[in-house]
Every structure is written in structure tokens, then in C-alpha cells.
Amino acid sequence: MRAIVLEEPKKLVLKQLEIPEPGENEVLIQVKAVGLCGSDIHYYEHGKIGDFIVEKPIILGHEASGEIVKAGKGVVHLQQGQRVTIEPGATCGKCEHCQNGRYNLCEKVEFLATPPYDGAFCEYVVMRSDLVFPIPDQMSYETAALIEPFSVGLHAVSRGNLQEGETVLILGMGPIGLMTAAAAKLHGAGVIIGVDLEDSRLEKAKEMGATHVINIRTDSVDDKIMEYTKRRGVDVAIETAGSPAALKSMIAAVRRGGRAVIVGMSPEDESPLNIAQIINKEIDVKGVFRYHHTYPKAIELLSSGKVNIERMITDSYELEQAEEAFEKSIHDKQNTLKMMIYPNGR
Ligand SMILES: [Zn+2]
Ligand SMILES: [Zn+2]
């Protein structure tokens, strides 16, 4: 099979590899669509993210969907020919966090395209069968692949304990911010306010469910929030931009007794937060790391057709063009949102 291998930073090579064999309780999947994620781009450019360092050649890509071509021994709930989406993290199932349900915190997780584990920019992958979810006939492979980043939005909304009819502010309208807007809409949020500095992204935000948008180039977030919420503040504010300014606006925007959720990774490990406001307004501040138990829920929510997350796809490429995709996403941030790669052709 063909695979795109990152041999060293900025060096992707098309290789011929053996098609893997599914073992017990595993399935072999022909990969149909894979989203290009910010983390893939970071590994490509810098060869590492924090403590995760690319020390040997690696296949990137973890937002994937495909068709089952072979089921290994002991697989009962899946069969050849099924269209599926893939949850990319294989957790241990035994540790404290796996046992209490917050398996996203498992320290023994094997996550696709996180060193040393290979990802899905290749024609076939083998996955543990409990991480493979059949999708309805009417769901596209693109939407199925995007369930991975959508899951982050869904988890953010659930960490914020967003209730029907509530007001939510989302800072940063990159792919994760847009997914969070979509998740908030599908959760029944009443007012969804999107913030960014690119008008093109704010337009996309409206397609994903934002009822109000604020461009920070021309407007003050603080003033607009007071106007939109009649000085009450928002029930939930979610930061996906990874910027100190957005963190500041997040805390200022939350109503008394409201919730603040931090998803965006800032370049610095430490950022100042206004502790007096957190105390005085008794704000619950929460972090988000990946997600847990989101796939069945995501399939159900996205099947409603109320939001079409595929609309954030701006570019699509064959496997051979992977390097072009990576380079464009680095050099043309204004015009690109989500890119799709099709390992078995479009
Ligand atoms: Zn991702
Ligand atoms: Zn575990």
C-alpha cells in the first residue's frame, strides 16, 4: 500500500508498505478520507509537540474514516463492507481514568499520529474494533472523518455543561472553534457568539450556527457581549484561540456563576487570568483534553442534518499531494480551514 511518511521535519516521502493484517478483535480499514489537523502540521514543521517527539519516521493523520475490508478473529459487531469512522485513541482500559470513564486522561493511550504511533495518511489501517463506529448510509466519509475534531467541540460544550437555551461565547473560529459552534447549536444553545479577526471565518461561523459574530479588529468583545446579553454576561465562554487576549475576554464575558472552558493551547505554558473576577463571579474554569464517549453521540447529532460540518473543508488532495496540502496550510492560513486527503482517491 502507499503511505506518506514523515522522515524528518519538512520531509514527506511516498512509500510502498505491506498492507497490515488485522489481529484478534481488530479490523482492516481501507482509508477513504483523512482531515489534516493542526497537530499534523506542527509535527511536520517542528518534529515535536511538547514532550511528543518524532524520533523515527511516522505516518501522520488521525481524523479518518473508511470501509472495513477484513475483520479479525473475535470481531462480532462489525463486518466487511461497512462504512465507518475511527476513534484514534486506544486507551488501556485498566487505569483509574479508564475505569472512571474519563479515558481521555489515560497515560497509556496509543493515539494515531502521535509519536511513536503511525496514523492514517496511507491506504489501509488496522484498528481495535471497539474504536470503529459504523456510520449511516447518508453520512459522507468527509463528515465521518471530521467527527474527530467535532468531538473536541462536543467535549468542550459538555465540560461547559451547556444547557438548552443558554448563551455561549466561543473565542477563535479556527476548525476547533467552528466545531464547537456546531456542537453548541446541536446542543440547543440559544445564542452563540463567535469571535475572530478574519471575516471569512466569521462568515463560516454563521454557517456552523453562530447567531452573532464579533470581529476583534473593529469591535471590542467586552462591549459587544454586554450589548448582546443586556449586561448579564454569557452562561458559558469557550476559548479555542490559544491567546492571552482571548483568555482575558473569556473571563470578563462570563456571567456571575457561569462557566469558562479552555481548549486552545497557548504558545506559552503560563498565561495570566484575572483571579479576582473568577472569585467574585464564582466562575467554574475547566480545561479540555481531547474527548471521551463522543462518537455515538456525534454520529447521532450530525445525522440530523441541522449543521453541515463538511462546509469547513476548503481544500482536498490525493495522497501523493500531501506535501502540497501541508505547505498550503502553513503559507495560506487566511484562505484555508480544513483540508481533506483521500488515500484511495476522491
Ligand atoms: Zn485533530
Ligand atoms: Zn488507561
Side-chain angles (χ1 to χ4, degrees):
M1 68 165 180
R2 292 166 310 136
I4 287 286
V5 179
L6 180 73
E7 297 224 303
E8 54 188 77
K10 296 245 174 193
K11 191 179 171 199
L12 291 171
V13 181
L14 183 69
K15 291 216 157 166
Q16 282 292 335
L17 303 175
E18 289 290 312
I19 296 178
E21 267 297 309
E24 204 171 338
N25 293 318
E26 291 179 335
V27 290
L28 178 68
I29 297 164
Q30 182 182 43
V31 183
K32 299 290 192 183
V34 193
L36 185 57
C37 175
S39 66
D40 296 317
I41 294 157
H42 207 91
Y43 283 125
Y44 170 77
E45 265 196 291
H46 308 290
K48 61 172 190 167
I49 298 178
D51 293 341
F52 293 103
I53 299 160
V54 180
E55 280 165 341
K56 63 177 184 61
I58 186 173
I59 301 171
L60 296 172
H62 62 265
E63 304 175 353
S65 63
E67 183 187 323
I68 296 178
V69 289
K70 195 172 175 185
K73 252 176 67 184
V75 176
V76 284
H77 72 294
L78 296 171
Q79 59 216 25
Q80 194 188 334
Q82 272 180 320
R83 302 166 71 252
V84 294
T85 180
I86 298 169
E87 180 169 352
T91 51
C92 82
K94 298 187 182 89
C95 71
E96 174 191 352
H97 311 295
C98 284
Q99 291 285 320
N100 75 15
R102 292 174 73 180
Y103 63 77
N104 55 323
L105 303 179
C106 177
E107 288 180 288
K108 293 196 181 132
V109 64
E110 299 178 6
F111 202 92
L112 293 192
T114 300
Y117 307 103
D118 281 328
F121 289 145
C122 55
E123 287 181 87
Y124 297 91
V125 291
V126 159
M127 286 303 295
R128 222 168 68 187
S129 62
D130 60 316
L131 300 170
V132 175
F133 299 85
I135 55 168
D137 293 344
Q138 72 276 13
M139 183 176 281
S140 68
Y141 281 123
E142 287 84 353
T143 289
L146 293 177
I147 285 180
E148 202 279 332
F150 178 74
S151 286
V152 179
L154 205 52
H155 188 51
V157 160
S158 116
R159 292 280 286 157
N161 195 21
L162 179 69
Q163 303 296 310
E164 226 176 287
E166 282 193 323
T167 298
V168 57
L169 167 69
I170 303 162
L171 299 129
M173 287 290 116
I176 294 295
L178 292 169
M179 290 295 183
T180 305
K185 178 178 166 102
L186 292 168
H187 245 77
V191 172
I192 301 169
I193 307 165
V195 175
D196 204 280
L197 38 72
E198 296 292 344
D199 280 328
S200 58
R201 293 188 168 204
L202 293 170
E203 278 311 306
K204 204 50 90 175
K206 291 181 196 160
E207 291 179 35
M208 293 301 137
T211 53
H212 300 68
V213 294
I214 303 170
N215 188 326
I216 50 171
R217 282 195 217 272
T218 49
D219 281 305
S220 142
V221 178
D222 299 3
D223 294 351
K224 284 282 170 194
I225 293 296
M226 289 304 121
E227 178 189 329
Y228 294 153
T229 64
K230 303 192 175 70
R231 306 206 68 77
R232 176 177 175 265
V234 300
D235 297 298
V236 185
I238 303 176
E239 203 281 341
T240 69
S243 98
L247 287 169
K248 190 166 184 237
S249 300
M250 171 188 75
I251 296 297
V254 175
R255 69 161 164 84
R256 297 173 70 76
R259 290 90 71 194
V261 179
I262 306 173
V263 187
M265 192 65 95
S266 298
E268 306 294 330
D269 284 346
E270 298 189 10
S271 303
L273 282 181
N274 188 323
I275 302 299
Q277 284 185 30
I278 294 172
I279 292 172
N280 291 339
K281 296 198 279 184
E282 204 167 76
I283 297 172
D284 293 334
V285 180
K286 291 184 178 179
V288 162
F289 181 70
R290 295 178 180 154
Y291 42 79
H292 61 80
H293 300 106
T294 48
Y295 272 68
K297 178 94 182 158
I299 292 169
E300 185 194 317
L301 287 172
L302 294 170
S303 297
S304 74
K306 279 187 202 147
V307 182
N308 185 358
I309 57 172
E310 259 177 64
R311 297 183 74 157
M312 67 181 82
I313 299 172
T314 50
D315 303 81
S316 48
Y317 295 92
E318 303 285 339
L319 192 61
E320 293 76 6
Q321 302 168 300
E323 189 167 315
E324 204 183 311
F326 278 80
E327 286 295 322
K328 186 172 180 201
S329 73
I330 293 167
H331 298 294
D332 192 9
K333 288 203 174 75
Q334 259 85 337
N335 298 306
T336 56
L337 269 169
K338 184 53 80 179
M339 295 188 167
M340 269 297 149
I341 291 177
Y342 298 84
N344 282 282
R346 264 171 276 189

